[in-house]
């Protein structure tokens, strides 16, 4: 038991080689848990949207369709991999990998409970912003390399959308940085212990801007224009099939989980809850995560898609000014209190 | 930073820049540039400038190069690939830049290392790099900082004037 405690919470007492192994072990645990969540997030989405639309969703494979995601995965794995004739092959191959890599790397700085984080770095929040901006490349390059008009339009739409909303997202997190006085996500969570409900109430405006930007960054409804099926077939991954298609699909869910985790750590108190749950230090984090994921599905089932000019107007003329207002407000309050 | 890491990063940055210059396909050139920027970010990390490393990726790789890609994708790639890679004056350009490079090499022998200031790696680590950059930017260097932001503001106004169809 002592050894296990030392491995996870005091790795600095071991030799450098063992420390590297410990980091790898932690990364392996996080990736395993993440992939399990991605698998069942697809099931959860189909079930919850099914029930919202007064149908049952998947019911055939296993009891209540519980084995459906595994069946889907096996199907995608054995499907023929089709590459368009004039596609730019190296970029076509590398695009889904970039998407999935960007999402998974961002997870490494998220603290799951007190002391458990793969990479405890001082610029954690900036690192997440950097990785989420990298995510755009996967989409843009996939759209361009497919040599298809639908994919290309999807890719162009996505790059413009992501650049616009990244600004709003970065600015909305500045308020959190100001209140916590740090970019280290563990320290941000610890700074929230003084406030009941975390930074949610003092940073309500920032949280609103962050959530809207998070929906746009992950290309979810009501901002799923890059993959608008009624106009663009499937947008940037129209030409992808089999495993590569699955990689994009997984990357989208990882993006959703990353954005939820960032929202939870920065605004909702991270792993802390109203009362401590014994023996399961990460329980609150996961409860909040499931609520967030459900919010994504709920909004998808409720709202129609935005028009492209409305999307741009919302991003530039509403969200960015609101985020700036939030920064000024937070600064003024901080100045008055000191 | 360990000298091996520096050697790798330096060599990789040179090779990647060369590749970015010589690619016929502009999209491939931009991709090599992105990889080059990542190496540069790691170089900053090795020198203890973590804030700069993050900004390097967010601003250059995340925003500016996406805009590059955006513009290049709208170009006609086939036409671009047939066009001559370098303009007529390239030997002249190479002569100037290799002259400058020679000058740098000649000078490096006479460099005197400066006196150690207040910001030693230990002092920076104690305050965290980001906090220190912020504090200095808003106290000691507030005037140059404001000048830089004013210049950017002028550029923004210029872009709006160009993009606006009708000026009242």
């Amino acid at each position: 038991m002592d050894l296990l405690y030392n491995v996870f919470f005091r790795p600095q007492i071991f030799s450098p080689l063992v420390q590297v192994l410990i980091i790898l072990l932690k990364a392996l645990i996080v990736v395993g848990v993440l992939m399990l969540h991605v698998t069942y997030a697809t099931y959860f989405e189909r079930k919850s949207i099914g029930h919202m639309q007064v149908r049952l969703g998947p019911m055939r494979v296993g009891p209540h369709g519980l084995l459906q995601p595994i069946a889907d995965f096996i199907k995608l794995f054995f499907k023929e991999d089709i590459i368009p004739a004039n596609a730019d092959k190296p970029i076509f191959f590398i695009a889904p990998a970039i998407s999935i890599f960007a999402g998974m790397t961002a997870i490494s700085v998220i603290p799951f409970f007190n002391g458990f984080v793969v990479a405890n770095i001082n610029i954690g929040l900036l690192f997440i912003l950097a990785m989420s901006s990298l995510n755009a490349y996967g989409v843009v390059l996939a759209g361009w390399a497919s040599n298809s008009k639908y994919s290309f339009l999807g890719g162009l739409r996505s790059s413009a959308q992501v650049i616009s909303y990244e600004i709003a997202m970065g600015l909305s997190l500045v308020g959190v940085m100001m209140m916590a006085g740090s970019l280290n996500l563990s320290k941000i969570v610890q700074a929230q212990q003084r406030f009941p409900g975390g930074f949610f109430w003092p940073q309500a405006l920032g949280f609103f801007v962050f959530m809207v930007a998070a929906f746009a960054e992950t290309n979810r409804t009501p901002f799923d224009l890059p993959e608008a099926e009624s106009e663009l077939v499937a947008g940037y991954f129209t030409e992808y099939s089999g495993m590569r298609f699955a990689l994009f699909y997984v990357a989208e869910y990882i993006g959703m989980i990353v954005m939820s985790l960032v929202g939870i750590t920065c605004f909702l108190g991270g792993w802390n809850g109203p009362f401590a749950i014994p023996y399961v230090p990460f329980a609150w984090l996961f409860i909040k995560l499931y609520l967030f994921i459900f919010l994504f599905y709920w909004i998808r089932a409720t709202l129609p898609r935005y028009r492209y000019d409305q999307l741009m107007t919302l991003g530039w003329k509403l969200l960015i000014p609101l985020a700036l207002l939030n920064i000024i407000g937070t600064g003024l309050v901080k100045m008055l209190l000191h | 930073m360990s000298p091996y890491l520096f050697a790798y990063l330096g060599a990789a940055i040179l090779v990647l820049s060369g590749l970015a210059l010589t690619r016929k396909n502009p999209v491939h050139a931009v991709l090599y540039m992105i990889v080059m920027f990542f190496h540069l970010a790691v170089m900053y990390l090795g020198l203890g400038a973590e804030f700069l490393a993050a900004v390097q990726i967010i601003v250059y790789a995340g925003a500016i190069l996406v805009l590059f890609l955006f513009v290049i994708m709208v170009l006609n790639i086939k036409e671009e690939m047939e066009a001559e890679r370098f303009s007529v004056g390239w030997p002249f350009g190479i002569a100037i830049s290799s002259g400058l490079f020679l000058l740098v090499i000649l000078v490096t022998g006479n460099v005197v290392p400066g006196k150690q200031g207040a910001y030693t790696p230990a002092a920076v680590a104690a305050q965290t790099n980001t906090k220190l950059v912020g504090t200095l930017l808003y106290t000691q260097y507030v005037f140059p900082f404001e000048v830089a932001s004013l210049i950017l503001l002028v550029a923004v106004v210029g872009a709006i004037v160009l993009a606006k169809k009708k000026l009242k």
Side-chain angles (χ1 to χ4, degrees):
Chain A
M1 231 21 230
D2 268 357
L3 180 72
L4 210 62
Y5 178 82
N6 284 339
V7 160
F8 282 117
F9 299 112
R10 287 199 300 158
Q12 62 272 18
I13 61 168
F14 295 101
S15 68
L17 185 73
V18 180
Q19 286 189 28
V20 171
L21 286 177
I22 290 172
I23 292 177
L24 282 179
L25 178 71
K26 276 185 177 175
L28 209 64
I29 294 173
V30 170
V31 169
V33 172
L34 178 69
M35 290 318 281
L36 195 73
H37 275 80
V38 167
T39 319
Y40 275 89
T42 61
Y43 172 76
F44 183 34
E45 170 158 32
R46 293 174 66 181
K47 268 290 185 199
S48 41
I49 288 186
H51 282 283
M52 283 177 197
Q53 296 169 345
V54 204
R55 52 193 178 82
L56 289 172
M59 283 298 276
R60 299 279 167 182
V61 193
H64 285 269
L66 261 174
L67 298 176
Q68 185 68 44
I70 294 159
D72 284 344
F73 178 76
I74 294 171
K75 186 192 94 176
L76 283 169
F77 193 77
F78 287 108
K79 257 186 130 177
E80 189 188 351
D81 185 20
I82 301 163
I83 299 157
N86 281 325
D88 191 315
K89 276 203 189 106
I91 298 185
F92 189 81
F93 290 161
I94 212 170
I98 294 177
S99 270
I100 210 159
F101 159 83
M104 280 195 174
T105 320
I107 293 265
S108 66
V109 294
I110 304 261
F112 284 89
F113 52 91
N114 202 354
F116 187 93
V117 47
V118 178
N120 190 9
I121 56 175
N122 280 332
I123 46 163
L125 207 49
L126 287 180
F127 183 81
I128 285 184
L129 289 176
M131 283 304 132
S132 81
S133 65
L134 194 64
N135 201 12
Y137 281 108
V139 174
V140 174
L141 291 175
W144 179 79
S146 301
N147 194 30
S148 143
K149 288 195 175 58
Y150 293 124
S151 304
F152 185 58
L153 285 172
L156 282 185
R157 275 187 181 184
S158 169
S159 52
Q161 177 178 329
V162 168
I163 292 175
S164 311
Y165 279 80
E166 220 159 59
I167 303 168
M169 171 171 278
L171 289 176
S172 72
L173 290 169
V174 171
V176 173
M177 299 173 195
M178 286 165 81
M179 285 190 73
S182 173
L183 293 172
N184 185 319
L185 287 164
S186 301
K187 286 195 181 134
I188 290 178
V189 173
Q190 277 150 11
Q192 290 177 59
Q193 282 171 345
R194 290 185 290 130
F195 297 87
F199 286 161
F200 178 73
W201 294 114
Q203 288 292 322
L205 195 58
F207 183 67
F208 169 73
V209 175
F210 172 82
M211 274 322 285
V212 177
F215 276 82
E217 285 265 310
T218 47
N219 295 330
R220 294 287 304 187
T221 336
F223 307 111
D224 59 341
L225 287 126
E227 43 191 281
E229 59 280 284
S230 50
E231 328 153 24
L232 294 177
V233 192
Y236 57 89
F237 55 66
T238 305
E239 302 294 336
Y240 281 84
S241 57
M243 245 353 252
R244 279 181 236 290
F245 168 78
L247 283 181
F248 269 122
Y249 210 71
V250 169
E252 188 184 322
Y253 281 88
I254 291 181
M256 240 159 46
I257 292 177
V258 171
M259 284 302 157
S260 309
L261 285 174
V262 175
I264 293 163
T265 356
C266 290
F267 295 99
L268 298 182
W271 66 77
N272 290 314
F275 54 89
I277 295 176
Y279 306 117
V280 220
F282 45 82
W284 279 113
L285 188 92
F286 279 91
I287 291 171
K288 290 172 194 168
L289 176 64
Y290 301 147
L291 288 176
F292 254 88
I293 299 278
F294 180 71
L295 184 72
F296 274 98
Y297 302 157
W298 189 8
I299 286 181
R300 182 181 162 189
T302 312
L303 292 180
R305 187 177 296 133
Y306 267 94
R307 217 172 53 216
Y308 202 73
D309 59 322
Q310 290 172 331
L311 170 101
M312 283 295 162
T313 315
L314 181 72
W316 288 98
K317 293 188 184 162
L318 184 70
L319 290 186
I320 293 179
L322 273 182
L324 288 174
L325 196 72
N326 182 44
I327 294 175
I328 296 172
T330 312
L332 282 178
V333 170
K334 246 193 121 161
M335 221 166 72
L336 288 177
L337 287 181
H338 286 281
Chain B
M1 183 165 35
S2 104
Y4 297 108
L5 183 65
F6 180 79
Y8 162 71
L9 288 172
I13 286 172
L14 281 181
V15 170
L16 288 165
S17 317
L19 282 170
L21 276 180
T22 49
R23 289 311 88 190
K24 271 205 176 307
N25 190 329
V27 174
H28 291 178
V30 169
L31 285 182
Y32 281 114
M33 215 151 119
I34 297 168
V35 182
M36 196 269 276
F37 280 158
F38 268 86
H39 281 81
L40 210 57
V42 176
M43 189 93 110
Y44 290 147
L45 270 186
L47 294 171
E50 35 183 47
F51 179 71
L52 201 58
V55 167
Q56 167 80 14
I57 295 188
I58 295 175
V59 175
Y60 280 96
I64 293 182
L65 281 188
V66 175
L67 285 178
F68 264 45
L69 267 186
F70 202 87
V71 173
I72 287 170
M73 281 174 173
V74 194
L75 295 177
N76 189 346
I77 291 281
K78 273 197 193 116
E79 231 169 68
E80 282 295 312
M81 284 176 67
E82 278 157 20
E84 210 43 56
R85 204 75 286 262
F86 298 105
S87 62
V88 198
W90 72 270
F92 187 63
I94 282 215
I96 291 182
S97 47
S98 33
L100 279 174
F101 186 61
L102 210 67
L103 205 67
V104 170
I105 288 181
L106 287 176
V107 163
T108 39
N110 305 329
V111 170
V112 184
K115 243 190 355 200
Q116 193 164 38
Y119 301 108
T120 53
V124 173
Q127 277 211 40
T128 75
N129 183 257
T130 316
K131 208 167 193 163
L132 208 56
V133 169
T135 316
L136 282 180
L137 217 52
Y138 281 98
T139 52
Q140 198 175 340
Y141 298 104
V142 71
F143 185 67
F145 180 68
E146 289 300 329
V147 170
S149 50
L150 201 68
I151 292 171
L152 284 175
L153 188 68
V154 171
V156 170
V157 172
I160 292 173
V161 169
L162 284 178
K164 217 168 169 90
K165 282 191 190 105
K166 212 161 61 183
L167 280 175
K168 275 176 201 142

